[in-house]
């Protein structure tokens, strides 16, 4: 072994590419496969790995140079070798570098005299995302698309990505299917592109659905339910490639190679807030370091992206013995969702007491009758029905606020989530179409869902599509609490333990069974007066359930 000259690998094009980052300097020790340099073409960024462990002897290029396949990049002396006479080898080393996002080789032209050429549209650079599920093809074979039309939608744990058409053309073949797990560079579809540029304005396709959303506590993405209730814990929906001029960049859309993304991840830096100094505004490692220095210099840092004060790590062992208990996935997901809701939804909680004396008497009588058939009418079932009736009377409690803040999505279905306490944590299965179900049916369903929850057998679908939630702590105790709105819903009812109270009837105090209700709501959507009206309506309905029949 001696000194190896690292050369520009096959970059999938004969055009020169830019050296946008030299990740090492002379004298650095590098491990095999460590990124030593990043190249960028119009369509891809390519990390060049060290073919062997060794020491950088000489840099033969600098940032800004343009190079072609085979051009020498740098000399590296193999570990344990003293770099004597240079011994050129044929780079690239094994394994060849993976283009992060490049155009797959064009298929042969459709015909010799055709004006059309076919190209395979690949999955673009997914950055730090390992793989993403193809959840939607927005086009079919034979469709005509304009440049930038959405072709497909991918979804990972972190984000949804719309894949735009690189040029106007006609879709000639779909090369993947919905449900496939795809990585950067995998073939999506074949596009026949007009050699003269094509008509970039005509299109038969509409972009994909405009919103995604994170699941309610502990739920998983599901396309059918997504149409109704959607969310994304991280950047909601990001378009692959460069964002349009007015669009705010997100960490997923900024120009940065995988090595820079890795560094940013390690340092907890949101790349969306970093100014790139590289070619075309590309972020290089020095930019990330400079960003961190600047934030430190500013002092009193903030949690990236949220504007919230950073919480310092505390070494509790200084004060006594401690144990670190890793949270299970359910608790982590619930915590993230609850936190997001708490910081984004301006909460107000309205309290009231409902007189359920007659209702409880009715419930007890009916339960004696129903017991033989295996039914148990619970107060929660009556509450669910009463809420469904109240939601019909106050429809904007059954809506979601569009993320733009410009519109409400009014739902014409009433699905009520019921918080269930399980040994693993909180889950919220959903009673669908509660307005159309009888109270016995609702009671049976809640009982079955609660059992499924405790047996950890709920499916993601069981927890999706809720439009309003109830959190009942009545079986446990307490007089009032402030439940957290289960975003994207806009209100939630908390129920505490009923108790006998002396109630003044105008002449004397009467013993009445009073049920404490706590209605938390999103003040962006619901005014305080409406919340008072809603909870009063609910109280009156519980006081006399015959109102539910009206
Ligand atoms: N006042 C007085 N007693 C009540 C009551 C109330 N508001 N609600 C229920 N009870 C009584 C019931 O009548 C039942 O007694 P009986 O067996 O004698 O009839 C007993 O308390 C137990 O009820 P339960 O809790 O088993 O049934 P439920 O229908 O009230 O609730 C469920 C079911 C799944 C909601 C409940 O078990 C549960 O998990 N609650 C916790 C929800 C939670 O954690 N919320 C917090 C979310 S935010 O962190």
């Amino acid at each position: 072994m001696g000194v190896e000259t690292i050369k520009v690998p096959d970059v999938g094009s004969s055009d020169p590419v830019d050296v946008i980052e030299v990740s090492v300097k002379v004298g650095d020790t590098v491990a095999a496969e460590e990124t030593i340099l990043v190249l960028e073409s119009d369509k891809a960024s390519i990390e060049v790995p060290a073919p062997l462990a060794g020491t950088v002897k000489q840099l033969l290029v600098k940032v800004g140079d343009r190079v072609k396949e085979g051009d020498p990049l740098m000399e590296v002396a193999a570990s344990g070798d003293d770099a004597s006479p240079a011994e050129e080898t044929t780079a690239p080393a094994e394994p060849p570098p993976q283009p992060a996002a490049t155009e797959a080789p064009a298929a042969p032209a459709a015909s010799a005299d055709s004006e059309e050429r076919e190209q395979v549209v690949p999955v673009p650079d997914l950055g730090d995302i390992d793989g993403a599920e193809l959840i939607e093809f927005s086009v079919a074979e034979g469709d005509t698309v304009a440049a930038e039309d959405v072709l497909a939608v991918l979804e990972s744990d972190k984000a949804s990505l719309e894949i735009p058409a690189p040029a106007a053309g006609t879709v000639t073949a779909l090369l993947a299917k919905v449900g496939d797990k795809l990585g950067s560079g995998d073939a999506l579809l074949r596009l026949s592109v007009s050699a003269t540029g094509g008509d970039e304005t005509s299109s038969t396709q509409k972009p994909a659905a405009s919103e995604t959303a994170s699941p309610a506590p502990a739920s998983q993405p599901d396309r059918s339910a997504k149409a109704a209730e959607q969310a994304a814990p991280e950047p909601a929906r990001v378009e692959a490639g460069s964002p349009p001029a007015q669009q705010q960049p997100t960490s997923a859309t900024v120009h940065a190679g995988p090595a820079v993304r890795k560094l940013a991840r390690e340092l907890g830096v949101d790349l969306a807030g970093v100014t790139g100094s590289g070619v075309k505004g590309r972020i290089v490692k020095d930019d990330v370091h400079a960003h961190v220095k600047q934030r430190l210099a500013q002092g009193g840092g903030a949690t990236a992206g949220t504007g919230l004060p950073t919480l310092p790590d505390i070494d509790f062992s200084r004060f006594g013995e401690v144990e670190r208990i890793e949270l299970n996935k359910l608790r982590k997901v619930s915590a993230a969702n609850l936190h997001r809701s708490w910081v984004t939804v301006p909460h107000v909680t309205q309290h009231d007491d409902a007189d359920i004396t007659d209702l409880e008497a009715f419930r007890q009588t009916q339960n004696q009758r129903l017991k033989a058939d295996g039914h148990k009418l619970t107060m929660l079932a009556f509450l669910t029905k009463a809420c469904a009736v109240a939601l019909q009377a106050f429809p904007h409690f059954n809506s979601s606020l569009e993320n733009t803040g410009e519109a409400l999505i009014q739902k014409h279905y009433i699905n009520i989530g019921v918080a269930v306490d399980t040994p693993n944590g909180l889950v919220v299965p959903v009673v669908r179409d509660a307005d159309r179900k009888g109270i016995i049916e609702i009671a049976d369903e809640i009982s079955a869902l609660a059992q499924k929850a405790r047996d950890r057998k709920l499916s993601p679908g069981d927890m999706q599509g809720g439009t309003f939630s109830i959190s009942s702590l009545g079986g446990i105790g307490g007089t009032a609490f402030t439940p957290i709105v289960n975003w994207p819903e806009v209100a939630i009812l908390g129920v505490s333990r009923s108790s006998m109270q002396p109630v003044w009837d105008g002449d004397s105090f009467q013993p009445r069974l009073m049920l404490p209700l706590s209605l938390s709501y999103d003040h962006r959507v619901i005014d305080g007066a409406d919340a008072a009206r809603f909870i009063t309506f609910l109280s009156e309905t519980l006081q006399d359930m015959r109102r539910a029949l009206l």
Side-chain angles (χ1 to χ4, degrees), residues 152-228:
V153 183
L154 302 182
E155 190 174 77
S156 76
D157 295 351
K158 297 186 181 157
S160 293
L161 300 104
E162 294 182 346
I163 311 299
T170 306
V171 177
T172 54
L174 302 181
L175 302 176
K177 57 184 187 318
V178 170
D180 283 356
K181 180 122 184 194
L182 302 175
S184 304
D186 284 349
L188 262 182
L189 52 79
R190 198 184 295 280
L191 195 63
S192 174
V193 178
S194 160
T196 52
D199 173 7
E200 303 216 342
T201 54
S202 75
S203 166
T204 58
Q205 299 304 319
K206 291 260 174 285
S210 63
E211 61 165 351
T212 64
S214 91
S219 60
Q220 299 292 326
D222 167 303
R223 284 305 285 168
S224 55
K226 221 159 94 152

Side-chain angles (χ1 to χ4, degrees), residues 42-44 101-106 117-124 137 139 143-152 162-173 186-194 196-201 239-242:
D42 283 349
K43 303 189 179 73
T102 186
E103 210 169 88
R117 68 183 165 80
E118 285 208 333
Q119 70 176 72
V120 172
V121 178
V123 174
F137 259 126
V139 292
D143 279 346
T144 308
V145 295
E148 300 303 322
D149 271 3
V150 175
L151 299 174
E162 294 182 346
I163 311 299
T170 306
V171 177
T172 54
D186 284 349
L188 262 182
L189 52 79
R190 198 184 295 280
L191 195 63
S192 174
V193 178
S194 160
T196 52
D199 173 7
E200 303 216 342
T201 54
E239 192 168 305
S242 306

Side-chain angles (χ1 to χ4, degrees), residues 338 356 360 363-364 367 376-381 383 418-422 426 446 450 454 471-476 481 483-484 495-499 515-516:
L338 288 165
I356 56 163
E360 179 61 10
R363 187 179 81 89
Q364 298 285 1
N367 264 341
K376 183 182 173 191
L377 276 182
T378 58
M379 188 50 70
L380 189 53
L383 280 158
V418 175
V420 177
D421 175 40
T422 78
L426 177 70
I446 293 175
R454 289 177 186 131
S471 173
S472 173
L473 294 172
I476 303 167
F481 66 106
I484 297 179
V495 184
S496 298
R497 192 166 188 77
S498 59
S499 62
L515 179 69

Side-chain angles (χ1 to χ4, degrees), residues 183-472:
S184 304
D186 284 349
L188 262 182
L189 52 79
R190 198 184 295 280
L191 195 63
S192 174
V193 178
S194 160
T196 52
D199 173 7
E200 303 216 342
T201 54
S202 75
S203 166
T204 58
Q205 299 304 319
K206 291 260 174 285
S210 63
E211 61 165 351
T212 64
S214 91
S219 60
Q220 299 292 326
D222 167 303
R223 284 305 285 168
S224 55
K226 221 159 94 152
E229 298 302 329
Q230 302 171 337
E234 302 234 324
R237 174 159 283 197
V238 291
E239 192 168 305
S242 306
Q246 311 91 321
Q247 197 175 314
Q248 284 296 323
T250 68
S251 59
T253 59
V254 295
H255 242 30
V260 173
R261 291 182 185 280
K262 183 162 174 261
L263 176 68
R265 235 179 11 252
E266 285 164 1
L267 296 176
V269 169
D270 180 358
L271 285 176
V274 178
T275 309
S277 64
V279 181
K280 298 178 204 151
R282 186 178 182 86
I283 299 169
V284 297
K285 283 182 176 175
D286 282 348
D287 298 328
V288 178
H289 289 302
H291 178 83
V292 171
K293 274 190 202 149
Q294 188 198 354
R295 297 304 292 264
L296 288 174
Q298 282 168 354
T303 303
T306 65
L308 293 173
T310 311
L311 301 176
D313 287 327
I314 298 172
D315 177 10
F316 296 101
S317 65
R318 288 189 293 135
F319 310 109
E321 197 178 319
V322 293
E323 182 188 0
R324 184 178 180 278
I325 301 164
E326 180 85 16
L327 294 180
N328 66 31
K329 188 156 186 232
L330 175 57
R331 285 190 192 279
K332 285 184 201 169
V333 172
S334 307
N337 287 330
L338 288 165
H339 184 226
R340 182 188 54 206
S341 180
W342 184 250
V343 297
T344 53
V345 174
H347 282 72
V348 179
T349 306
Q350 175 78 21
H351 302 279
D352 199 0
D353 286 337
D355 183 338
I356 56 163
T357 316
D358 298 340
L359 180 58
E360 179 61 10
F362 175 71
R363 187 179 81 89
Q364 298 285 1
T365 325
Q366 293 307 310
N367 264 341
Q368 282 169 15
R369 187 176 66 80
L370 293 167
K371 204 170 168 184
D373 296 330
H375 301 295
K376 183 182 173 191
L377 276 182
T378 58
M379 188 50 70
L380 189 53
F382 285 100
L383 280 158
T384 305
K385 186 69 186 176
C387 285
V389 174
L391 291 170
Q392 283 174 320
F394 298 87
H396 60 300
F397 282 73
N398 199 53
S399 70
S400 284
L401 181 62
E402 214 177 61
N403 279 342
T404 58
E406 309 240 321
L408 284 184
I409 308 299
Q410 182 63 63
K411 293 148 196 174
H412 296 299
Y413 51 89
I414 293 180
N415 294 341
I416 298 189
V418 175
V420 177
D421 175 40
T422 78
N424 274 315
L426 177 70
V427 286
V428 189
V430 171
V431 178
R432 288 178 198 284
D433 301 318
D435 54 321
R436 294 196 231 153
K437 288 180 177 159
I439 295 169
I440 298 175
E441 190 180 359
I442 291 174
D444 289 348
E445 198 169 323
I446 293 175
S447 163
L449 287 170
Q451 194 53 51
K452 255 174 119 179
R454 289 177 186 131
D455 295 342
R456 304 174 71 176
K457 290 199 173 134
L458 287 175
S459 67
D462 287 332
M463 293 179 281
Q464 287 172 335
T467 59
F468 180 88
S469 295
I470 303 178
S471 173
S472 173

Side-chain angles (χ1 to χ4, degrees), residues 486-502:
N486 188 15
W487 184 91
E489 296 165 20
V490 294
I492 179 169
L493 181 73
V495 184
S496 298
R497 192 166 188 77
S498 59
S499 62
M500 281 307 227
Q501 302 282 334

